[in-house]
Amino acid sequence: MANEKELSPKQREELFKTLKTRFEKNMSRHEGLEWNKVQAKLEANTIKLWSLNEMEQTGGEPDVVGYNKNTDEYIFYDCSAESPKGRRSLCYDRAALDSRKEYKPADSALDMAASIGIELLTEEEYRELHKFGKFDSKTSSWVKTPADIRKLGGAVFCDFRYGTVFLYHNGAESYYAARGFRGSLRV
């Protein structure tokens, strides 16, 4: 039985083509990095490649935004203009989802991120993303919520309005058609 978290040769080829095209089109996101080295790392890690494919399939448009020399990892963020379409209308986490008595969303941001194999962006990472462009001018994205806020029932999200990144709060059980989440992946 084939591993369900492994791409077919055709899927791999299509994903590499998409990622390479995006990489070359947006060199300002990863100055000094070479696509061949990124691809070699991805070819050596089929699970991470599967996660990138899931990011792509849910509308995230992942791209390399950095490289950590200490860990020898390339850092990918969702770089879609708006919060990924396939990851919207989600409450924050499983506890929030379980607390809803009716009108439950299909999933939670943290559960979906875990199933894809990615992490929600932190507030700092979200702000860092905006060095590369304007994102979430019509949508918003859940970000990793500090434990003390989550313990009190809240969760935080960000968006970009009036030329500024804003951080807001909401009940973790809330969900909206225009709120999703952005992820990061280290390869």
Side-chain angles (χ1 to χ4, degrees), residues 76-95:
F76 287 82
Y77 287 173
D78 285 309
C79 292
S80 55
E82 301 299 336
S83 194
K85 243 185 181 147
R87 293 189 242 145
R88 295 185 196 166
S89 294
L90 307 169
C91 61
Y92 183 71
D93 62 11
R94 173 59 50 182

Side-chain angles (χ1 to χ4, degrees), residues 25 32 37 43 46 51-52 67 76 110 124 143 147-148 156 161 175 183:
K25 185 178 175 187
K37 292 180 179 179
E43 288 173 343
T46 58
S51 292
L52 274 174
Y67 174 73
F76 287 82
L110 287 184
E124 180 183 339
V143 293
D148 56 337
V156 294
R161 305 289 192 277
Y175 67 98

Side-chain angles (χ1 to χ4, degrees), residues 28-48:
S28 63
R29 294 178 186 161
H30 34 256
E31 288 180 21
L33 300 181
E34 300 172 33
W35 172 252
N36 292 344
K37 292 180 179 179
V38 174
Q39 184 169 339
K41 288 281 278 192
L42 290 171
E43 288 173 343
N45 196 327
T46 58
I47 296 293
K48 300 275 178 133

Side-chain angles (χ1 to χ4, degrees), residues 7 10 19 26 35 46 57 61 72 77 89 93 104 111-112 115 121-123 129-130 133 149 182:
L7 302 178
K10 183 178 178 173
L19 293 173
N26 297 285
W35 172 252
T46 58
Q57 295 304 310
E61 300 179 22
D72 186 32
Y77 287 173
S89 294
D93 62 11
K104 290 185 179 222
D111 285 348
M112 184 178 267
S115 73
L121 293 184
T122 64
E123 177 189 355
L129 173 64
H130 281 79
I149 293 173
R182 292 177 180 278

Side-chain angles (χ1 to χ4, degrees), residues 104-174:
K104 290 185 179 222
D107 206 348
S108 76
L110 287 184
D111 285 348
M112 184 178 267
S115 73
I116 295 173
I118 62 177
E119 297 284 329
L120 262 66
L121 293 184
T122 64
E123 177 189 355
E124 180 183 339
E125 290 169 333
Y126 187 90
R127 291 181 184 282
E128 183 181 297
L129 173 64
H130 281 79
K131 293 176 185 173
F132 305 115
K134 296 176 183 175
F135 303 91
D136 286 341
S137 63
K138 297 175 188 157
T139 58
S140 61
S141 296
W142 289 114
V143 293
K144 218 175 264 185
T145 297
D148 56 337
I149 293 173
R150 184 60 195 101
K151 186 177 178 182
L152 296 171
V156 294
F157 63 96
C158 293
D159 66 20
F160 183 79
R161 305 289 192 277
Y162 308 107
T164 304
V165 170
F166 287 94
L167 173 71
Y168 304 92
H169 62 88
N170 217 170
E173 73 286 346
S174 67

